[in-house]
Amino acid sequence: MSRLTLALDVMGGDIGPRTTIPASIKALEKDPMLSLLLFGDNQQITPLLEKVPSNLKQRLTICHCSQVIENNQGLSYALRHSKGTSMRSAIEAVQKGEAKGCVSAGNTGALMGLSKVILQPLKGIDRPALVSLLPTMDGGRSVMLDLGANIDCDAKNLYQFALMGAIFAENQLNLVFPRIALLNIGIEDIKGYKSIREAAQLLAADTTLNFTGFIEGNYLLNGKADVIVSDGFAGNIALKTLEGAAKNVISLVRGQSQNHRLKPIFNWLIKLLFKDSYLRLKKINPDQYNGASLIGLTAVVVKSHGSANIEAFSHAIQDAALQARQDIPNKILAGLQKY
């Protein structure tokens, strides 16, 4: 394992340093070759490091930033007033070569916009996309993108997402010729927006890609596709719906429902419906799937959920470290030339 430095926007997210700092310590404990640049308010960060062992603290560098991009700020306003903020400073550290990747739980639109301006998209990519791994019912994983970076997408955008998703799946999941599907409201050729139908034609015509057709929302976790492609609007809604449903089901399986009268009935139904998957469901940790990667850029950028807890944000840091060590941006660039 090689030595690696990442830049963290520790002010992002619903709670900020009270989550991101303990998560940073947890990530350092798991990765002895990792160092972190902490961009944020020194007065809020320092007290949280008082009891941290010196061997861990020496791998942390506080980079004071007095300004923060708020979640409720519009994209144009955030971009115009981003100088000196924790998010922009973390991204600039990557651009300067001080860090190999950036992690933030802050404003998604601002992170996307600043990353695109400062780090630049890869040659041949019009729009970077948010991608994440989804667990499947057979114990595997699928890649899904875009998850909210691009609301309006044309056929070319969707085609490029499919290319990047296929390369991402090849490297992250060790797949050869990954199966690609477009998220749609039906599997028939005549259904869906014109952009989706045109994207399907582009993908079907490219014999270097393993395009399998359309996939509906009820099959996202069934392992029917290795790469699931959509525009950011539908992808974001689908992901959050899956996350909410999964957390509710897992709570029921673990007996965490507050309705004591219905608990036995819920548990019986879950066992009946999921059968062999029941024990696997009990072991699923949603925090392991926190973090979406902004791929199509010249460097690694990982967006954590704003509501992420300590364990979840720590997983986002670990994911960024893995991608940086795998040199995912350059592998995507090389893969684009192959396709």
Side-chain angles (χ1 to χ4, degrees), residues 3 15 17 55 61 67 71 81 95 129 144 187 236 241 251 332:
R3 292 189 177 276
I15 302 178
N55 65 314
T61 302
Q67 304 296 320
N71 284 331
H81 299 82
Q95 187 227 9
M144 185 170 177
I187 61 172
N236 188 272
T241 302
S251 294
I332 290 176

Side-chain angles (χ1 to χ4, degrees), residues 32 35 48 71 91 208 289 318:
S35 296
L48 298 171
N71 284 331
I91 298 171
T208 63
Y289 295 91
Q318 294 171 58

Side-chain angles (χ1 to χ4, degrees), residues 7 88-102 115 117-120 298-299:
R88 177 166 184 151
S89 299
I91 298 171
E92 287 176 338
V94 178
Q95 187 227 9
K96 296 173 185 175
E98 298 169 357
K100 289 293 186 181
C102 169
S115 297
V117 170
I118 297 171
L119 298 178
Q120 297 293 306
T298 56

Side-chain angles (χ1 to χ4, degrees), residues 251-279:
S251 294
L252 292 175
V253 170
R254 294 175 178 171
Q256 296 171 348
S257 170
Q258 298 301 309
N259 193 325
H260 300 289
R261 292 182 180 180
L262 293 180
K263 268 187 183 181
I265 298 175
F266 281 145
N267 282 332
W268 176 80
L269 279 173
I270 294 296
K271 288 179 181 179
L272 178 66
L273 292 173
F274 291 98
K275 296 181 182 177
D276 296 337
S277 301
Y278 177 74
L279 292 178

